[in-house]
Amino acid sequence: MKLFLDTANIEEIRTAWSWGAIEGVTTNPSLVAKEGRPFKEIVREICEIVNPGDISAEVVSLDAEGMIREAREVASWHPNIVVKIPMTKEGMKAVRALSQEGIRCNVTLVFTLAQAFLAAKAGAYYISNFVGRVDDISSEGMDAVRDTVNMIKEYGFKSQVLVASVRHPMHVIEALRAGAHACTVPFKVLEQLYQHPLTDIGIQRFLADWEKSGAKIFG
Ligand code: G3P
């Protein structure tokens, strides 16, 4: 499973890349707006840091013609860009046209198997199944992920399931168990994936015993 960082914050991206933890970055209009920098500048900087890697950047038009125009512009900024298109009728019209001209699309704001099915039929490169926002309203967000993975296997679609809207490490674990192709996580969740109190306790015990023994690596 590919792990992406869900942010437009350059420092978080540099840090996660230095850990060798990620194979890409996903952004969205809210994440980009938070950084207060020109969209093209920030996306191109992300593409230079995380390379090789898939970098998702989202269009903001709501009509197919406008989405296609914006997608062509965004895709021209770097070969690693995957264009994010929302799961709407106009969006799928745009995905169909863009995928036929070789522009990879990440269909976002997908919540149901039906939406994922339509995204796959349109030629989505990634299907971003949002889980956290479904959990936030007391439902089981991961159900649609499992169904989508099964659908793609059953019918031989080429689209990849990208688990998005991740709130905690268990979403990542469940994405792995579901056989998702990718999962995009906030920096905070990435940090949590490394942590376990028994690891910390174990390191302390090793070092205490080492100190007592007087053993050395050098000299
Ligand atoms: O960026 C796509 C998705 O991961 C954002 O989800 O619910 O954290 O805004 P959310």
Side-chain angles (χ1 to χ4, degrees):
M1 184 174 84
K2 290 177 276 191
L3 199 56
F4 297 163
L5 199 64
D6 198 28
T7 184
N9 181 278
I10 294 298
E11 282 323 301
E12 289 180 349
I13 293 166
R14 282 194 196 287
T15 303
W17 183 248
S18 74
W19 294 343
I22 58 173
E23 288 86 20
V25 172
T26 53
T27 68
N28 64 44
S30 303
L31 293 171
V32 170
K34 267 171 67 175
E35 299 306 312
R37 290 178 57 191
F39 185 29
K40 181 175 181 179
E41 178 188 289
I42 207 165
V43 168
R44 287 179 60 84
E45 186 169 358
I46 294 171
C47 291
E48 293 309 316
I49 297 166
V50 180
N51 193 359
D54 285 346
I55 311 302
S56 286
E58 193 160 338
V59 298
V60 291
S61 283
L62 296 178
D63 64 301
E65 191 183 334
M67 289 178 191
I68 291 168
R69 189 169 56 249
E70 291 174 354
R72 286 171 178 155
E73 169 61 20
V74 170
S76 73
W77 297 345
H78 196 282
N80 294 355
I81 286 173
V82 182
V83 180
K84 261 188 171 180
I85 306 276
M87 170 24 82
T88 62
K89 300 181 192 70
E90 287 294 299
M92 294 315 95
K93 192 173 161 185
V95 168
R96 188 174 172 76
L98 292 164
S99 58
Q100 285 170 356
E101 59 185 72
I103 292 178
R104 296 181 299 164
C105 296
N106 175 355
V107 175
T108 190
L109 289 166
V110 171
F111 295 93
T112 66
L113 175 58
Q115 288 179 320
F117 172 51
L118 293 166
K121 282 169 68 71
Y125 187 77
Y126 287 117
I127 298 170
S128 283
N129 284 82
F130 278 40
V131 295
R133 295 190 191 188
V134 177
D135 291 9
D136 292 347
I137 56 170
S138 311
S139 294
E140 178 53 65
M142 204 52 77
D143 282 349
V145 169
R146 286 185 277 268
D147 288 344
T148 303
V149 169
N150 291 336
M151 171 194 72
I152 283 172
K153 279 185 193 153
E154 182 72 24
Y155 296 97
F157 286 117
K158 298 282 181 283
S159 305
Q160 299 176 60
V161 179
L162 196 172
V163 177
S165 186
V166 164
R167 294 280 185 275
H168 46 67
M170 277 316 296
H171 277 153
V172 180
I173 301 300
E174 288 176 74
L176 285 164
R177 288 174 176 158
H181 304 88
C183 183
T184 191
V185 300
F187 185 77
K188 172 176 166 290
V189 172
L190 177 62
E191 285 191 300
Q192 288 174 302
L193 293 175
Y194 287 90
Q195 290 155 1
H196 195 291
L198 289 178
T199 303
D200 299 340
I201 291 167
I203 291 171
Q204 284 161 16
R205 281 194 192 149
F206 287 159
L207 295 181
D209 292 342
W210 180 265
E211 288 305 313
K212 270 192 289 192
S213 75
K216 293 197 183 322
I217 290 175
F218 299 103

